[in-house]
Amino acid sequence: MKLIFKLLIGAGALPLLYVCGSFAYLTAKTGKTPFQTAHAAEFAAAGTLSESDVATRLAKDSGDPVAHCALAEKAHKRKDFAKAIAERKLALLREPENPQILFDTALDLMLAKSNDEAKIYCQKIIETRDPNLTSIAQKMLAKLEKVSPK
């Protein structure tokens, strides 16, 4: 009986070790947990959501940040930067430290010629220390400083 119990515990521990090991490996390799990576992928796909998908998401949750990012992307493509900025700010209510939303907001602000506010968002991106966007935000901030110094 003890042998069967030990085998069952060992068999249950093996998948748990595999999952935990994979989790640790991916986190060490990318700097982000698999959950953060999946979350980022959801935001990256926001621009491809159909209007009905966006409407469905907003019907379930009026503050859905992915839906607001999708609306912002559509507005950005129409060069309606005021609408894009408004939608991104709604997404930021739920995801205030999301570097991608912060970056997209800074970009829309820059295109809308709101350079002072764009500088603030660049600073927020830099504070997140995102490995992909921090250096881009620093370059954008340097350009904004040249265009409209304090």
Side-chain angles (χ1 to χ4, degrees):
M1 188 68 153
K2 288 183 180 182
L3 179 63
I4 293 173
F5 185 70
K6 288 180 182 179
L7 286 173
L8 288 174
I9 289 176
L14 190 59
L16 183 62
L17 284 171
Y18 176 75
V19 169
C20 292
S22 297
F23 187 83
Y25 173 75
L26 287 172
T27 303
K29 184 172 175 106
T30 65
K32 295 181 179 180
T33 67
F35 301 119
Q36 290 171 315
T37 303
H39 190 62
E42 187 179 20
F43 278 97
T48 62
L49 289 176
S50 69
E51 288 184 27
S52 63
D53 289 339
V54 172
T56 301
R57 290 183 78 110
L58 289 174
K60 289 180 184 174
D61 178 5
S62 63
D64 183 334
V66 174
H68 286 293
C69 284
L71 292 172
E73 281 300 311
K74 290 174 188 343
H76 177 89
K77 288 177 183 172
R78 293 189 315 268
K79 297 185 191 278
D80 183 356
F81 301 119
K83 174 74 172 162
I85 293 164
E87 290 295 338
R88 292 192 202 287
K89 286 182 178 181
L90 288 171
L92 284 168
L93 291 174
R94 289 266 184 94
E95 297 275 336
E97 294 182 12
N98 184 313
Q100 187 62 54
I101 302 172
L102 291 167
F103 177 77
D104 292 338
T105 306
L107 182 61
D108 284 333
L109 286 163
M110 191 175 81
L111 293 169
K113 308 281 191 240
S114 297
N115 293 343
D116 290 337
E117 194 174 359
K119 289 179 195 178
I120 294 167
Y121 281 88
C122 286
Q123 287 293 347
K124 289 180 181 183
I125 298 162
I126 294 166
E127 289 169 10
T128 68
R129 297 180 185 186
D130 182 89
N132 299 318
L133 295 173
T134 298
S135 63
I136 298 169
Q138 289 169 334
K139 291 174 187 173
M140 184 187 285
L141 184 59
K143 285 183 182 181
L144 288 167
E145 288 292 337
K146 287 180 184 177
V147 173
S148 60
K150 289 183 178 178

